[in-house]
Amino acid sequence: MLAYDDKRNFYRMMVNSPCQVQMVDSPSSQQISAVCRDISATGMSLELESPSVEVGGLMEITIETNGEQIPSLVAKAKVVRCDAETDSSCLVGVEINEMN
């Protein structure tokens, strides 16, 4: 029998990189500081400095790089999961819709 991780189409890469998240469909379009915990070809796991975000919400995620040889990653994604971590942070799973 296959384990849960063996059923994935794409494996996750642990990155633990700081990033900026902007809620696209929010009237305030606020920037939220976050940490990208892992990324795959179709999704990401983010730890946000926000108590919660709405499942189904759209966001733009930017991960800056340290050098000029590698461009920054900018992705548009949909929130598919949001689990509270503390009173002021949450762990969010997103499905990537577009990546630049």
Side-chain angles (χ1 to χ4, degrees), residues 17-28:
S17 294
C19 60
Q20 289 295 312
V21 173
Q22 182 174 5
M23 298 305 296
V24 175
D25 54 357
S26 171
S28 66

Side-chain angles (χ1 to χ4, degrees), residues 2-100:
L2 292 175
Y4 178 75
D5 288 340
D6 294 333
K7 294 179 185 178
R8 292 187 172 277
N9 291 331
F10 301 100
Y11 289 100
R12 294 181 183 194
M13 180 173 69
M14 305 303 266
V15 289
N16 292 318
S17 294
C19 60
Q20 289 295 312
V21 173
Q22 182 174 5
M23 298 305 296
V24 175
D25 54 357
S26 171
S28 66
S29 295
Q30 67 180 1
Q31 291 271 345
I32 303 170
S33 295
V35 175
C36 178
R37 294 293 178 203
D38 60 60
I39 186 170
S40 75
T42 58
M44 295 183 195
S45 176
L46 306 163
E47 185 176 339
L48 271 63
E49 292 180 8
S50 176
S52 69
V53 293
E54 186 177 336
V55 172
L58 302 176
M59 57 175 57
E60 184 173 280
I61 303 148
T62 305
I63 302 175
E64 299 290 341
T65 58
N66 294 334
E68 294 180 16
Q69 290 92 1
I70 301 171
S72 298
L73 181 142
V74 179
K76 294 183 181 174
K78 181 173 100 173
V79 177
V80 294
R81 175 178 49 84
C82 180
D83 299 319
E85 288 285 293
T86 66
D87 289 342
S88 61
S89 69
C90 61
L91 190 61
V92 176
V94 299
E95 177 182 8
I96 297 171
N97 298 330
E98 182 181 328
M99 196 175 314
N100 301 333

